[in-house]
Amino acid sequence: MNLILLDPSEVEGAYAYLTDARRITHLREVHRATAGNQLTVGLQGGAMGKAQLVELSDTQAIFSLESLNEAPPPPLPVHLVLALPRPRMLARTLEHVTALGVKSITLLHTKRVEKSYWQSPELRPEKIHQHLVLGLEQARDTHLPTVTLSKGFRPFLEEQLPTLLNGHRGLVAHPGMTQACPRDIQERTLLLVGPEGGFIPWEVEKLLEAGCEGMHLGPRILRVETAVTALLSRLF
Amino acid sequence: MNLILLDPSEVEGAYAYLTDARRITHLREVHRATAGNQLTVGLQGGAMGKAQLVELSDTQAIFSLESLNEAPPPPLPVHLVLALPRPRMLARTLEHVTALGVKSITLLHTKRVEKSYWQSPELRPEKIHQHLVLGLEQARDTHLPTVTLSKGFRPFLEEQLPTLLNGHRGLVAHPGMTQACPRDIQERTLLLVGPEGGFIPWEVEKLLEAGCEGMHLGPRILRVETAVTALLSRLF
């Protein structure tokens, strides 16, 4: 927790009141914080800076928010479309990409996504929110990404993709494409990443027909969480 | 398991004999393999290719190794010096970097590494070996990385670093350095990554004095496993 992310509901005037066990335990046991300490806090969706811990008990932490005037780090200019990974991988991947600065995520069904993954408790809004918050707390950022579930490939292709590609360079990461992943591009990008096992050829074909470029990350087969981090780091 | 990695002890003439529960269960339950199937196998430290599954029982898998003539993917030209992360992070990081093609790893003690981490069972040679094998199986590679434990920063600095820097570009990833992480370098590189919380200023100073360049990955604070993947992907 490199930043204490404050929900608007926790702020009252120049003070913030935290009552959740997770952060209070972290403040006590990891930060070993005591009243008077300066800690880095951020208002969800807003500014960040140092705040003074006024009180810390077993059940409550109170901060005085004097000087929150730092802007959060810039976001990555990308909308990430990710074939829904298995639940544990999803959790970690959401944290990684949020920490890296992704602000728009679509979780997509494709042929090789196991249908049971859509029933996972990890997809409940509160669980997703939790992973996004962990990513922001790690990277010191305040802007939550939006996460959209797209449970059909064809409706995504026909109804959402054309809009998403508007003003964006579409890039499909897929083994065997001729173009290597481009480096250090500054363009607004729609990045599509397949599931373990990849997109099926028909899906790749349809994405290319829709105007996306194919590209690969080299001969190694990477786990989704490794591949997504490697792609984002190379692209931006 | 995108590749079945064969230990030399498992190969006898043109056949390989697997008896460990992990891979046999994987072959049966994930690959749903049956006799006659062609699967990708690799000889540890050697070639890879398709092999035919001759027999699969509850306790044994036998492969016929006809045509192993494919070279494994090229390694990354890097020696990674990583401040020892906490055990669970170490396990995942070893898998990520092995999958990405790192072949030389030094785990280093620094001021901000908790001393208890050196007592972790994750550091037992057989546990480390296990994570390296998982990384190779993921990426379809056959060459195991070497992992060296360096339990003192000063002996590392004085006795090992000069040799490691010989013929290598030394790069220290550290927040606040002026140079951004360079991209797409083809040089042999010694990459040093600090612990959660970073190197202390004295350590950075000593590494720079020894001839390393400092560089940063941007304003976001990343977990070690995310940072290492992002660094490797940007550098190579």
Side-chain angles (χ1 to χ4, degrees), chain A residues 172-181 197-199 204 208 213-221, chain B residues 140:
Chain A
V172 182
H174 190 66
M177 296 282 109
T178 48
Q179 181 183 208
C181 176
F199 291 111
V204 175
L208 300 185
E213 300 163 51
M215 53 95 169
H216 69 83
L217 249 189
R220 295 172 178 277
I221 307 173
Chain B
R140 286 199 178 146

Side-chain angles (χ1 to χ4, degrees), chain B:
Chain B
M1 196 162 72
N2 297 308
L3 170 108
I4 297 145
L5 188 67
L6 302 172
D7 190 90
S9 68
E10 294 169 333
V11 178
E12 228 183 282
Y15 291 90
Y17 301 83
L18 275 62
T19 54
D20 63 303
R22 179 179 71 86
R23 287 179 297 170
I24 286 172
T25 308
H26 194 97
L27 283 168
R28 295 170 65 95
E29 294 180 5
V30 181
H31 287 293
R32 295 200 182 96
T34 51
N37 286 174
Q38 299 279 331
L39 289 154
T40 305
V41 310
L43 300 172
Q44 197 179 291
M48 45 191 234
K50 292 282 177 193
Q52 190 173 338
L53 185 60
V54 178
E55 192 194 304
L56 179 62
S57 71
D58 282 356
T59 54
Q60 190 174 240
I62 307 178
F63 285 95
S64 152
L65 312 172
E66 295 115 35
S67 50
L68 302 192
N69 47 24
E70 232 179 285
L76 293 183
V78 68
H79 184 122
L80 175 65
V81 179
L82 188 65
L84 182 66
R86 61 191 152 82
R88 219 188 293 176
M89 185 80 81
L90 170 66
R92 286 209 301 268
T93 304
L94 286 176
E95 290 183 35
H96 293 311
V97 304
T98 303
L100 288 162
V102 174
K103 296 301 174 196
S104 320
I105 303 165
T106 296
L107 298 173
L108 177 64
H109 186 68
T110 73
K111 181 74 180 171
R112 293 203 182 116
V113 169
E114 273 195 37
K115 287 210 176 112
S116 66
Y117 295 171
W118 291 102
Q119 311 309 323
S120 163
E122 290 292 338
L123 282 179
R124 283 190 210 136
E126 65 274 19
K127 287 292 280 183
I128 287 183
H129 180 81
Q130 208 175 68
H131 295 299
L132 304 180
V133 165
L134 290 174
L136 295 181
E137 288 178 350
Q138 169 64 43
R140 286 199 178 146
D141 191 356
T142 65
H143 288 281
L144 279 168
T146 57
V147 177
T148 310
L149 308 188
S150 237
K151 299 188 187 179
F153 184 81
R154 202 184 279 268
F156 168 80
L157 195 68
E158 291 168 3
E159 293 154 31
Q160 297 169 56
L161 186 59
T163 314
L164 291 175
L165 278 174
N166 198 353
H168 285 68
R169 178 174 180 183
L171 290 172
V172 182
H174 189 66
M177 296 282 109
T178 48
Q179 180 185 208
C181 176
R183 292 174 187 268
D184 197 12
I185 65 176
Q186 298 304 326
E187 296 148 275
R188 291 167 69 196
T189 302
L190 183 76
L191 173 63
L192 298 105
V193 181
E196 312 267 322
F199 291 111
I200 61 169
W202 179 83
E203 289 164 345
V204 175
E205 194 183 305
K206 287 294 165 190
L207 294 172
L208 300 185
E209 273 176 21
C212 298
E213 301 164 49
M215 54 96 170
H216 69 82
L217 248 189
R220 295 172 177 277
I221 307 173
L222 301 176
R223 281 188 189 195
V224 168
E225 59 169 332
T226 322
V228 171
T229 300
L231 285 163
L232 292 170
S233 178
R234 194 167 288 189
L235 284 169
F236 304 107

Side-chain angles (χ1 to χ4, degrees), chain A residues 37-67:
Chain A
N37 286 174
Q38 299 279 331
L39 289 153
T40 305
V41 310
L43 300 172
Q44 196 178 293
M48 46 191 233
K50 291 284 176 194
Q52 189 173 338
L53 185 61
V54 177
E55 191 194 304
L56 178 62
S57 71
D58 282 355
T59 53
Q60 189 174 240
I62 307 178
F63 286 95
S64 153
L65 313 173
E66 296 114 34
S67 50

Side-chain angles (χ1 to χ4, degrees), chain A residues 97-125:
Chain A
V97 305
T98 303
L100 287 163
V102 174
K103 296 300 175 198
S104 320
I105 303 164
T106 296
L107 298 172
L108 177 64
H109 186 68
T110 72
K111 181 75 180 170
R112 294 203 181 116
V113 170
E114 272 195 39
K115 287 211 176 113
S116 66
Y117 294 171
W118 290 103
Q119 311 309 324
S120 162
E122 289 292 339
L123 281 178
R124 283 189 211 137

